[in-house]
């Protein structure tokens, strides 16, 4: 495969650093004991896309869901409320980019979806979704 593919360790570290700085600006949705609240059931997810622009480069789709990322990816691939690019080019989930973020309340997931997509775009990746 040519072009950009999976993020390197340095890129993953940079994304992790961005997330931690984001969290410092926002109050955590978890209580002091770290127990999950009932409202913390939304997830962000990232899908690896193979050649979405037909130029040989990889891309990513960033989304948010009230389902598990695995179930949401299945829905995309089966055409249920699917983003066309994920149905056509979606290869797999990339949990290294989002697993440590989940779960969270709806409002935080909505913000984190945009934040994660923008951070990948700033690193030069083709990114879909993330609105």
């Amino acid at each position: 495969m040519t072009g950009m593919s999976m993020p390197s360790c340095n890129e993953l570290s940079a994304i992790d650093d961005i997330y931690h700085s984001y969290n410092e600006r926002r109050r955590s949705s978890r209580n002091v004991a770290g127990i999950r609240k009932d409202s913390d059931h939304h997830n962000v997810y990232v899908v690896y896309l193979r050649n979405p622009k037909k130029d040989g480069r990889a891309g990513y789709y960033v989304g948010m869901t009230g389902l598990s990322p695995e179930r949401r990816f299945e829905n995309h691939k089966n055409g249920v409320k699917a983003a066309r690019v994920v149905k056509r080019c979606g290869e797999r989930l990339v949990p290294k980019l989002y697993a440590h973020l989940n779960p969270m309340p709806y409002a935080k997931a909505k913000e984190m979806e945009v934040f994660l997509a923008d951070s990948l775009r700033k690193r030069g990746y083709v990114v879909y979704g993330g609105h």
Side-chain angles (χ1 to χ4, degrees):
M1 179 185 324
T2 61
M4 291 182 230
S5 59
M6 297 298 293
S8 69
C9 290
N10 289 340
E11 291 161 339
L12 291 173
S13 176
I15 290 169
D16 200 43
D17 290 345
I18 289 169
Y19 172 71
H20 289 299
S21 67
Y22 172 86
N23 258 356
E24 288 173 10
R25 292 191 309 260
R26 301 282 181 195
R27 297 194 75 158
S28 175
S29 64
R30 296 176 189 268
N31 68 18
V32 175
I35 298 171
R36 179 181 157 183
K37 294 180 182 178
D38 289 337
S39 63
D40 293 357
H41 71 274
H42 284 81
N43 298 292
V44 291
Y45 62 97
V46 179
V47 176
Y48 174 78
L49 304 172
R50 175 167 285 176
N51 200 15
K53 289 189 170 187
K54 307 290 185 212
D55 62 358
R57 294 188 332 151
Y60 294 97
Y61 177 87
V62 178
M64 66 162 278
T65 183
L67 305 171
S68 71
E70 295 78 15
R71 180 70 183 141
R72 182 64 185 110
F73 181 63
E74 285 177 29
N75 285 350
H76 276 294
K77 296 306 281 183
N78 293 326
V80 178
K81 295 184 179 181
R84 239 178 304 168
V85 71
V86 176
K87 185 173 180 172
R88 183 174 44 91
C89 303
E91 291 284 317
R92 64 186 171 279
L93 291 168
V94 188
K96 288 180 182 179
L97 298 178
Y98 65 82
H100 62 288
L101 306 173
N102 294 327
M104 62 189 85
Y106 174 83
K108 188 170 181 181
K110 196 171 177 180
E111 291 176 8
M112 187 55 69
E113 176 189 18
V114 173
F115 193 78
L116 183 55
D118 287 346
S119 68
L120 287 167
R121 284 184 188 107
K122 287 177 185 175
R123 284 163 178 71
Y125 292 102
V126 174
V127 179
Y128 295 83
H131 5 46

Short mmCIF file of all heavy atoms in Angstrom, two decimals, residues 11-52:
data_model
loop_
_atom_site.label_atom_id
_atom_site.label_comp_id
_atom_site.label_asym_id
_atom_site.label_seq_id
_atom_site.Cartn_x
_atom_site.Cartn_y
_atom_site.Cartn_z
N GLU A 11 2.89 9.17 16.37
CA GLU A 11 1.60 9.79 16.09
C GLU A 11 0.57 9.39 17.15
O GLU A 11 -0.22 10.22 17.58
CB GLU A 11 1.11 9.39 14.70
CG GLU A 11 1.95 10.01 13.61
CD GLU A 11 1.83 9.31 12.28
OE1 GLU A 11 1.42 8.14 12.25
OE2 GLU A 11 2.13 9.96 11.28
N LEU A 12 0.59 8.13 17.56
CA LEU A 12 -0.32 7.70 18.62
C LEU A 12 -0.03 8.45 19.90
O LEU A 12 -0.93 8.86 20.62
CB LEU A 12 -0.21 6.20 18.84
CG LEU A 12 -0.73 5.32 17.72
CD1 LEU A 12 -0.41 3.86 18.01
CD2 LEU A 12 -2.22 5.51 17.54
N SER A 13 1.24 8.65 20.19
CA SER A 13 1.63 9.39 21.38
C SER A 13 1.15 10.83 21.29
O SER A 13 0.66 11.40 22.27
CB SER A 13 3.15 9.35 21.54
OG SER A 13 3.55 10.14 22.63
N ALA A 14 1.26 11.42 20.11
CA ALA A 14 0.80 12.80 19.93
C ALA A 14 -0.71 12.90 20.13
O ALA A 14 -1.20 13.84 20.76
CB ALA A 14 1.19 13.31 18.54
N ILE A 15 -1.45 11.93 19.62
CA ILE A 15 -2.90 11.92 19.79
C ILE A 15 -3.24 11.76 21.27
O ILE A 15 -4.12 12.44 21.79
CB ILE A 15 -3.55 10.82 18.94
CG1 ILE A 15 -3.45 11.20 17.46
CG2 ILE A 15 -5.01 10.60 19.33
CD1 ILE A 15 -3.82 10.11 16.51
N ASP A 16 -2.51 10.90 21.96
CA ASP A 16 -2.73 10.71 23.38
C ASP A 16 -2.43 12.01 24.14
O ASP A 16 -3.17 12.39 25.03
CB ASP A 16 -1.85 9.57 23.89
CG ASP A 16 -2.35 9.00 25.19
OD1 ASP A 16 -3.57 8.82 25.34
OD2 ASP A 16 -1.50 8.74 26.07
N ASP A 17 -1.35 12.70 23.77
CA ASP A 17 -1.01 13.98 24.40
C ASP A 17 -2.12 15.01 24.18
O ASP A 17 -2.48 15.76 25.08
CB ASP A 17 0.31 14.53 23.85
CG ASP A 17 1.51 13.72 24.30
OD1 ASP A 17 1.38 12.92 25.24
OD2 ASP A 17 2.58 13.90 23.67
N ILE A 18 -2.65 15.04 22.96
CA ILE A 18 -3.73 15.97 22.65
C ILE A 18 -4.94 15.67 23.53
O ILE A 18 -5.56 16.56 24.08
CB ILE A 18 -4.11 15.89 21.16
CG1 ILE A 18 -2.99 16.50 20.31
CG2 ILE A 18 -5.43 16.60 20.89
CD1 ILE A 18 -3.13 16.24 18.84
N TYR A 19 -5.26 14.39 23.65
CA TYR A 19 -6.41 14.01 24.47
C TYR A 19 -6.22 14.44 25.91
O TYR A 19 -7.13 14.99 26.52
CB TYR A 19 -6.65 12.50 24.40
CG TYR A 19 -7.69 12.05 25.38
CD1 TYR A 19 -9.04 12.37 25.20
CD2 TYR A 19 -7.34 11.35 26.53
CE1 TYR A 19 -9.99 11.99 26.12
CE2 TYR A 19 -8.30 10.96 27.45
CZ TYR A 19 -9.62 11.29 27.23
OH TYR A 19 -10.56 10.92 28.14
N HIS A 20 -5.03 14.22 26.46
CA HIS A 20 -4.79 14.59 27.85
C HIS A 20 -4.87 16.10 28.04
O HIS A 20 -5.42 16.56 29.04
CB HIS A 20 -3.47 14.02 28.35
CG HIS A 20 -3.51 12.55 28.51
ND1 HIS A 20 -4.37 11.91 29.37
CD2 HIS A 20 -2.84 11.55 27.88
CE1 HIS A 20 -4.23 10.61 29.29
NE2 HIS A 20 -3.31 10.36 28.38
N SER A 21 -4.37 16.88 27.09
CA SER A 21 -4.49 18.33 27.22
C SER A 21 -5.94 18.76 27.09
O SER A 21 -6.40 19.68 27.76
CB SER A 21 -3.61 19.06 26.20
OG SER A 21 -4.08 18.85 24.90
N TYR A 22 -6.70 18.06 26.24
CA TYR A 22 -8.13 18.32 26.11
C TYR A 22 -8.82 18.06 27.44
O TYR A 22 -9.63 18.85 27.90
CB TYR A 22 -8.72 17.42 25.02
CG TYR A 22 -10.22 17.46 24.92
CD1 TYR A 22 -10.85 18.43 24.16
CD2 TYR A 22 -11.01 16.52 25.58
CE1 TYR A 22 -12.22 18.47 24.05
CE2 TYR A 22 -12.38 16.56 25.49
CZ TYR A 22 -12.99 17.53 24.72
OH TYR A 22 -14.35 17.57 24.62
N ASN A 23 -8.50 16.95 28.08
CA ASN A 23 -9.12 16.59 29.34
C ASN A 23 -8.78 17.58 30.45
O ASN A 23 -9.57 17.78 31.36
CB ASN A 23 -8.74 15.18 29.77
CG ASN A 23 -9.84 14.20 29.50
OD1 ASN A 23 -10.91 14.59 29.07
ND2 ASN A 23 -9.58 12.94 29.73
N GLU A 24 -7.61 18.16 30.40
CA GLU A 24 -7.25 19.15 31.41
C GLU A 24 -8.13 20.38 31.31
O GLU A 24 -8.41 21.04 32.29
CB GLU A 24 -5.78 19.54 31.27
CG GLU A 24 -4.83 18.44 31.72
CD GLU A 24 -3.39 18.75 31.42
OE1 GLU A 24 -3.07 19.89 31.04
OE2 GLU A 24 -2.56 17.84 31.57
N ARG A 25 -8.58 20.68 30.07
CA ARG A 25 -9.45 21.84 29.87
C ARG A 25 -10.89 21.53 30.20
O ARG A 25 -11.69 22.42 30.41
CB ARG A 25 -9.35 22.32 28.43
CG ARG A 25 -8.02 22.91 28.08
CD ARG A 25 -8.04 23.60 26.74
NE ARG A 25 -8.59 22.79 25.68
CZ ARG A 25 -7.89 22.10 24.79
NH1 ARG A 25 -6.58 22.13 24.83
NH2 ARG A 25 -8.49 21.41 23.86
N ARG A 26 -11.27 20.28 30.17
CA ARG A 26 -12.65 19.85 30.43
C ARG A 26 -12.69 19.05 31.73
O ARG A 26 -11.79 18.31 32.03
CB ARG A 26 -13.16 18.96 29.30
CG ARG A 26 -13.14 19.63 27.97
CD ARG A 26 -14.30 20.56 27.88
NE ARG A 26 -14.27 21.19 26.56
CZ ARG A 26 -14.97 22.24 26.27
NH1 ARG A 26 -15.74 22.80 27.15
NH2 ARG A 26 -14.91 22.77 25.07
N ARG A 27 -13.76 19.20 32.44
CA ARG A 27 -13.93 18.38 33.64
C ARG A 27 -14.27 16.97 33.22
O ARG A 27 -15.03 16.75 32.29
CB ARG A 27 -15.06 18.94 34.49
CG ARG A 27 -14.73 20.33 34.99
CD ARG A 27 -15.67 20.67 36.05
NE ARG A 27 -15.24 19.90 37.22
CZ ARG A 27 -15.54 20.23 38.44
NH1 ARG A 27 -16.29 21.25 38.68
NH2 ARG A 27 -15.12 19.50 39.44
N SER A 28 -13.72 16.03 33.91
CA SER A 28 -14.00 14.63 33.62
C SER A 28 -15.45 14.31 33.94
O SER A 28 -16.03 14.86 34.87
CB SER A 28 -13.09 13.72 34.45
OG SER A 28 -13.44 12.39 34.25
N SER A 29 -16.04 13.40 33.16
CA SER A 29 -17.43 13.01 33.39
C SER A 29 -17.54 11.92 34.45
O SER A 29 -18.62 11.46 34.76
CB SER A 29 -18.05 12.52 32.08
OG SER A 29 -17.38 11.36 31.66
N ARG A 30 -16.42 11.49 34.97
CA ARG A 30 -16.44 10.44 35.99
C ARG A 30 -16.32 11.05 37.38
O ARG A 30 -15.69 12.08 37.56
CB ARG A 30 -15.29 9.46 35.75
CG ARG A 30 -15.46 8.75 34.42
CD ARG A 30 -14.27 7.87 34.16
NE ARG A 30 -14.32 7.36 32.82
CZ ARG A 30 -14.89 6.20 32.49
NH1 ARG A 30 -15.43 5.45 33.38
NH2 ARG A 30 -14.90 5.82 31.24
N ASN A 31 -16.92 10.39 38.35
CA ASN A 31 -16.81 10.92 39.70
C ASN A 31 -15.43 10.61 40.27
O ASN A 31 -14.61 9.97 39.64
CB ASN A 31 -17.96 10.39 40.58
CG ASN A 31 -17.84 8.90 40.85
OD1 ASN A 31 -16.78 8.31 40.67
ND2 ASN A 31 -18.93 8.30 41.27
N VAL A 32 -15.19 11.05 41.49
CA VAL A 32 -13.87 10.93 42.11
C VAL A 32 -13.42 9.48 42.21
O VAL A 32 -12.26 9.16 42.01
CB VAL A 32 -13.88 11.60 43.50
CG1 VAL A 32 -12.56 11.39 44.21
CG2 VAL A 32 -14.18 13.08 43.37
N ALA A 33 -14.33 8.56 42.46
CA ALA A 33 -13.97 7.15 42.61
C ALA A 33 -13.73 6.47 41.26
O ALA A 33 -13.31 5.33 41.23
CB ALA A 33 -15.06 6.42 43.37
N GLY A 34 -14.03 7.16 40.15
CA GLY A 34 -13.82 6.57 38.83
C GLY A 34 -14.93 5.64 38.39
O GLY A 34 -14.79 4.88 37.45
N ILE A 35 -16.07 5.70 39.07
CA ILE A 35 -17.19 4.84 38.72
C ILE A 35 -17.95 5.44 37.55
O ILE A 35 -18.20 6.64 37.50
CB ILE A 35 -18.13 4.66 39.94
CG1 ILE A 35 -17.37 3.98 41.07
CG2 ILE A 35 -19.38 3.88 39.56
CD1 ILE A 35 -18.11 3.95 42.38
N ARG A 36 -18.31 4.59 36.61
CA ARG A 36 -19.02 5.03 35.41
C ARG A 36 -20.42 5.51 35.76
O ARG A 36 -21.15 4.86 36.49
CB ARG A 36 -19.10 3.86 34.43
CG ARG A 36 -19.82 4.20 33.17
CD ARG A 36 -19.88 3.00 32.27
NE ARG A 36 -21.00 3.21 31.37
CZ ARG A 36 -21.39 2.36 30.48
NH1 ARG A 36 -20.78 1.23 30.34
NH2 ARG A 36 -22.40 2.62 29.70
N LYS A 37 -20.79 6.66 35.23
CA LYS A 37 -22.15 7.16 35.40
C LYS A 37 -23.05 6.52 34.36
O LYS A 37 -22.60 6.10 33.31
CB LYS A 37 -22.17 8.68 35.21
CG LYS A 37 -21.41 9.45 36.26
CD LYS A 37 -21.53 10.92 35.96
CE LYS A 37 -20.76 11.76 36.92
NZ LYS A 37 -20.84 13.18 36.60
N ASP A 38 -24.35 6.49 34.63
CA ASP A 38 -25.30 5.92 33.66
C ASP A 38 -25.29 6.69 32.35
O ASP A 38 -25.55 6.11 31.30
CB ASP A 38 -26.72 5.93 34.25
CG ASP A 38 -26.88 4.90 35.35
OD1 ASP A 38 -26.09 3.94 35.38
OD2 ASP A 38 -27.77 5.08 36.19
N SER A 39 -24.99 7.97 32.40
CA SER A 39 -25.01 8.78 31.18
C SER A 39 -23.77 8.56 30.32
O SER A 39 -23.71 9.01 29.19
CB SER A 39 -25.11 10.27 31.53
OG SER A 39 -23.97 10.67 32.27
N ASP A 40 -22.77 7.85 30.83
CA ASP A 40 -21.52 7.61 30.10
C ASP A 40 -21.65 6.37 29.21
O ASP A 40 -21.00 5.36 29.44
CB ASP A 40 -20.35 7.40 31.06
CG ASP A 40 -20.00 8.65 31.84
OD1 ASP A 40 -20.63 9.69 31.60
OD2 ASP A 40 -19.10 8.56 32.67
N HIS A 41 -22.48 6.45 28.18
CA HIS A 41 -22.62 5.28 27.33
C HIS A 41 -22.39 5.58 25.85
O HIS A 41 -22.66 4.74 25.01
CB HIS A 41 -23.98 4.61 27.55
CG HIS A 41 -25.13 5.38 26.99
ND1 HIS A 41 -25.75 6.37 27.70
CD2 HIS A 41 -25.76 5.32 25.80
CE1 HIS A 41 -26.71 6.89 26.97
NE2 HIS A 41 -26.75 6.26 25.81
N HIS A 42 -21.86 6.75 25.53
CA HIS A 42 -21.54 7.07 24.14
C HIS A 42 -20.05 6.80 23.88
O HIS A 42 -19.23 6.84 24.80
CB HIS A 42 -21.90 8.51 23.82
CG HIS A 42 -23.37 8.68 23.65
ND1 HIS A 42 -24.22 8.81 24.71
CD2 HIS A 42 -24.13 8.70 22.53
CE1 HIS A 42 -25.46 8.92 24.24
NE2 HIS A 42 -25.42 8.85 22.93
N ASN A 43 -19.76 6.51 22.64
CA ASN A 43 -18.40 6.17 22.24
C ASN A 43 -18.00 6.90 20.98
O ASN A 43 -18.84 7.13 20.10
CB ASN A 43 -18.30 4.66 21.94
CG ASN A 43 -18.62 3.82 23.14
OD1 ASN A 43 -17.87 3.81 24.11
ND2 ASN A 43 -19.75 3.13 23.10
N VAL A 44 -16.73 7.25 20.88
CA VAL A 44 -16.17 7.69 19.61
C VAL A 44 -15.47 6.48 19.01
O VAL A 44 -15.10 5.56 19.73
CB VAL A 44 -15.18 8.88 19.76
CG1 VAL A 44 -15.93 10.14 20.17
CG2 VAL A 44 -14.07 8.57 20.72
N TYR A 45 -15.32 6.48 17.69
CA TYR A 45 -14.65 5.37 17.03
C TYR A 45 -13.96 5.87 15.77
O TYR A 45 -14.31 6.92 15.23
CB TYR A 45 -15.63 4.23 16.70
CG TYR A 45 -16.73 4.62 15.73
CD1 TYR A 45 -16.63 4.34 14.38
CD2 TYR A 45 -17.88 5.27 16.17
CE1 TYR A 45 -17.63 4.69 13.49
CE2 TYR A 45 -18.88 5.61 15.30
CZ TYR A 45 -18.76 5.33 13.96
OH TYR A 45 -19.75 5.68 13.08
N VAL A 46 -12.94 5.12 15.33
CA VAL A 46 -12.18 5.46 14.14
C VAL A 46 -12.12 4.21 13.27
O VAL A 46 -11.78 3.13 13.75
CB VAL A 46 -10.75 5.93 14.49
CG1 VAL A 46 -9.96 6.26 13.23
CG2 VAL A 46 -10.80 7.13 15.43
N VAL A 47 -12.42 4.39 11.98
CA VAL A 47 -12.38 3.30 11.01
C VAL A 47 -11.26 3.57 10.02
O VAL A 47 -11.14 4.69 9.50
CB VAL A 47 -13.72 3.17 10.24
CG1 VAL A 47 -13.64 2.09 9.17
CG2 VAL A 47 -14.88 2.92 11.20
N TYR A 48 -10.44 2.57 9.78
CA TYR A 48 -9.39 2.65 8.75
C TYR A 48 -10.06 2.45 7.39
O TYR A 48 -10.82 1.50 7.18
CB TYR A 48 -8.36 1.55 9.00
CG TYR A 48 -7.32 1.45 7.91
CD1 TYR A 48 -6.26 2.34 7.85
CD2 TYR A 48 -7.41 0.46 6.95
CE1 TYR A 48 -5.30 2.24 6.85
CE2 TYR A 48 -6.46 0.35 5.95
CZ TYR A 48 -5.41 1.25 5.90
OH TYR A 48 -4.49 1.15 4.92
N LEU A 49 -9.80 3.37 6.46
CA LEU A 49 -10.36 3.32 5.12
C LEU A 49 -9.27 3.01 4.11
O LEU A 49 -8.24 3.69 4.09
CB LEU A 49 -11.00 4.66 4.76
CG LEU A 49 -12.07 5.20 5.71
CD1 LEU A 49 -12.46 6.62 5.31
CD2 LEU A 49 -13.28 4.29 5.73
N ARG A 50 -9.49 2.04 3.28
CA ARG A 50 -8.52 1.70 2.24
C ARG A 50 -8.85 2.47 0.97
O ARG A 50 -9.90 2.29 0.38
CB ARG A 50 -8.54 0.21 1.95
CG ARG A 50 -7.62 -0.12 0.76
CD ARG A 50 -7.38 -1.56 0.63
NE ARG A 50 -6.45 -1.90 1.71
CZ ARG A 50 -6.05 -3.12 1.98
NH1 ARG A 50 -6.48 -4.12 1.29
NH2 ARG A 50 -5.22 -3.34 2.96
N ASN A 51 -7.94 3.36 0.58
CA ASN A 51 -7.99 4.07 -0.70
C ASN A 51 -9.33 4.78 -0.97
O ASN A 51 -9.92 4.61 -2.04
CB ASN A 51 -7.68 3.06 -1.82
CG ASN A 51 -7.24 3.74 -3.09
OD1 ASN A 51 -6.90 4.90 -3.12
ND2 ASN A 51 -7.28 2.99 -4.18
N PRO A 52 -9.84 5.61 -0.05
CA PRO A 52 -11.15 6.22 -0.24
C PRO A 52 -11.22 7.20 -1.41
O PRO A 52 -12.26 7.36 -2.03
CB PRO A 52 -11.42 6.93 1.09
CG PRO A 52 -10.07 7.19 1.65
CD PRO A 52 -9.22 6.01 1.21
#
